[in-house]
Amino acid sequence: LNADMLATIPKGMQICGRRYEIEFQPWLRLSPQDLPPPAGFGTAARLAISEDDSVWVSVGSAETGSGTGAGECGVQMVQLVPVCDLLDPAPREPPSWRAIRPHVRVDGDVLRFAPRESFDGHWLDGQGVEIATICGDAVLWSAGFASRLRRSGVGSLSTEPAGLGVMQARRDGDGRLIWADKDVWTRCERTSFVSLATPAVRPTTILLARHGEREDDAEFQLNGRDWASTAERPWDPPLTPTGRLQAWRLGLRAVHHTSVLGLAPLSKVFTSPFERCFETAAVAAKAAGLSTVCVEPSLSEFFDEGFYRLWVIRGAEAVRSIGFDQRRLRPDANKPAGSLAPLDRLTNVPGAAFAAVDVNHVPFLRCEDLKYRWGSFESEARLMARMRAFFDHVAKSFPGQTVMLVSHAGPTQALFRSVLPAHKASHCDYSALYVL
């Protein structure tokens, strides 16, 4: 595979792939597809990409690539990179890369690349009052809330603040934003993304995140196999290679968001003692330039009946019926929940190659205090109280710092509902990140 081959792809042929930035250069990772031979290359040049392949297309600048105009890019080269080389948690340094969303399209015989349109800046409404700051995909309103920005076409955007409905705007020839309700926004001259009302002592910034893709979910989705039925520790699945990649990107995005929002750099990471969370935290910490993570039992999984029913019977699929023979229970189901994820075993899991356990951290909640077991489950109220107590502790203990909490879907959602009860707490996807 080489640049000349892809540069002669017939007009109209669409190449599918995910967009990335590696070492500050735009790349495409091509998705599984089967392209016919480009003109003049014969059948040997057919581009067939399967799920097992990893084909990366480096898209260069107009000066060095085959692009023909400003803001355009052509293909520089194609190389095969084994996925394990990117995700293997070996001592060698992982690649420095972060996700971006450029516009990439096939135009004639080259791939075109154009940077995403930016609306970044501080904006005044029609009355000359500073109303919001736009930073990337975030609209930070002066009233103290935030909403997500969506681009709906060249020069157009929309956003949906809670309780206000969808708001749409377009940029006019003078760079102003003209909203559907006829309000007109103009940029103000301030150059930093810092609030006008910056307090003398800045509050703690807490980044709330969920772990990356877990092995049992991936096995069931891809192969229909019940991973827990044969696992030695079925309640504690590790990350998949994709999960490690998600964790690496999580760390890079944490660095990006704190920088764009004018926040203190990430200084500490707390994680649930379950392996999938510890590995996510360790990989993210490494990506953010940290060498240790703090293991905190307060961030543990939600010990409700649903948690136990996924693994309580050895060699059987997830127990979803109401009744079953209690004599078939795994012995671990009757042990205190705090014993399911002992802290000492984390020194031997793959994530330990990225960041070590902070031995100086004194847990806010001890593992021994998690006494739930099969038949004595944790309630949603107790879960929310557990998560909120640690959240408040972190908020008071690290003023002016930025701290990340890595937990599970249920606990993360419970904390979000506790901190922001007026906002709908949607399902927290793998490696999702909230800035609180």
Side-chain angles (χ1 to χ4, degrees), residues 58-401:
S58 174
V59 186
S61 65
E63 291 77 14
T64 58
S66 57
T68 58
E72 300 174 347
C73 292
V75 175
Q76 281 186 302
M77 63 179 177
V78 178
Q79 66 182 47
L80 298 178
V81 183
V83 175
C84 61
D85 287 351
L86 291 174
L87 306 179
D88 183 14
R92 62 176 178 268
E93 196 72 12
S96 173
W97 64 322
R98 59 186 176 81
I100 58 173
R101 299 173 183 170
H103 300 292
V104 181
R105 69 184 189 278
V106 176
D107 186 5
D109 60 355
V110 297
L111 293 180
R112 305 295 187 190
F113 166 81
R116 182 176 55 173
E117 184 176 16
S118 174
F119 296 96
D120 288 2
H122 304 280
W123 295 87
L124 307 178
D125 64 12
Q127 305 299 318
V129 177
E130 184 171 356
I131 188 170
T133 294
I134 297 179
C135 305
D137 289 334
V139 182
L140 310 177
W141 298 82
S142 300
F145 57 91
S147 60
R148 182 177 178 181
L149 180 144
R150 293 179 173 84
R151 292 162 178 79
S152 51
V154 178
S156 300
L157 63 87
S158 65
T159 187
E160 188 173 359
L164 299 180
V166 178
M167 301 172 59
Q168 296 179 324
R170 59 177 177 79
R171 195 204 302 264
D172 68 5
D174 296 324
R176 302 177 302 174
L177 294 181
I178 312 299
W179 294 87
D181 64 358
K182 307 304 182 183
D183 193 13
V184 178
W185 288 12
T186 55
R187 292 181 190 268
C188 65
E189 299 300 321
R190 290 200 298 115
T191 58
S192 67
F193 291 112
V194 181
S195 170
L196 292 174
T198 302
V201 178
R202 300 178 66 181
T204 306
T205 298
I206 297 180
L207 308 181
L208 180 61
R210 185 190 174 193
H211 59 76
E213 182 183 65
R214 47 192 280 181
E215 185 72 29
D216 56 342
D217 277 359
E219 278 289 335
F220 184 78
Q221 293 293 332
L222 296 177
N223 304 317
R225 188 175 77 88
D226 181 30
W227 178 89
S229 63
T230 57
E232 180 181 355
R233 294 171 52 82
W235 58 85
D236 195 15
L239 291 184
T240 63
T242 296
R244 292 193 191 102
L245 176 58
Q246 291 170 339
W248 184 257
R249 292 175 61 186
L250 171 65
L252 296 179
R253 296 308 291 173
V255 173
H256 169 77
H257 286 306
T258 53
S259 175
V260 168
L261 299 176
L263 304 171
L266 182 64
S267 59
K268 196 172 279 292
V269 177
F270 292 93
T271 177
S272 159
F274 283 80
E275 182 174 342
R276 55 192 179 275
C277 285
F278 171 74
E279 191 167 6
T280 300
V283 174
K286 177 69 173 180
L290 303 179
S291 59
T292 62
V293 297
C294 302
V295 180
E296 176 51 55
S298 299
L299 301 174
S300 293
E301 180 64 278
F302 180 21
F303 299 108
D304 66 341
E305 185 174 357
F307 165 75
Y308 283 94
R309 280 185 175 269
L310 291 173
W311 58 270
V312 289
I313 294 183
R314 185 184 299 277
E317 293 185 356
V319 182
R320 305 186 187 280
S321 59
I322 298 300
F324 58 89
D325 189 349
Q326 299 286 328
R327 293 173 296 180
R328 298 177 60 197
L329 284 177
R330 287 177 178 266
D332 297 288
N334 288 314
K335 295 179 180 179
S339 67
L340 298 178
L343 306 188
D344 54 0
R345 70 176 300 273
L346 294 178
T347 58
N348 299 317
V349 301
F354 290 92
V357 174
D358 187 344
V359 296
N360 296 318
H361 171 64
V362 178
F364 180 74
L365 176 69
R366 301 178 306 164
C367 284
E368 308 89 84
D369 296 329
L370 294 170
K371 302 181 184 297
Y372 307 106
R373 64 186 73 220
W374 174 257
S376 179
F377 306 115
E378 186 176 27
S379 66
E380 292 188 8
R382 287 184 177 273
L383 169 66
M384 185 178 293
R386 162 163 62 94
M387 293 293 293
R388 184 56 190 264
F390 183 64
F391 177 89
D392 292 342
H393 167 72
V394 171
K396 294 176 182 177
S397 301
F398 303 97
Q401 299 185 43

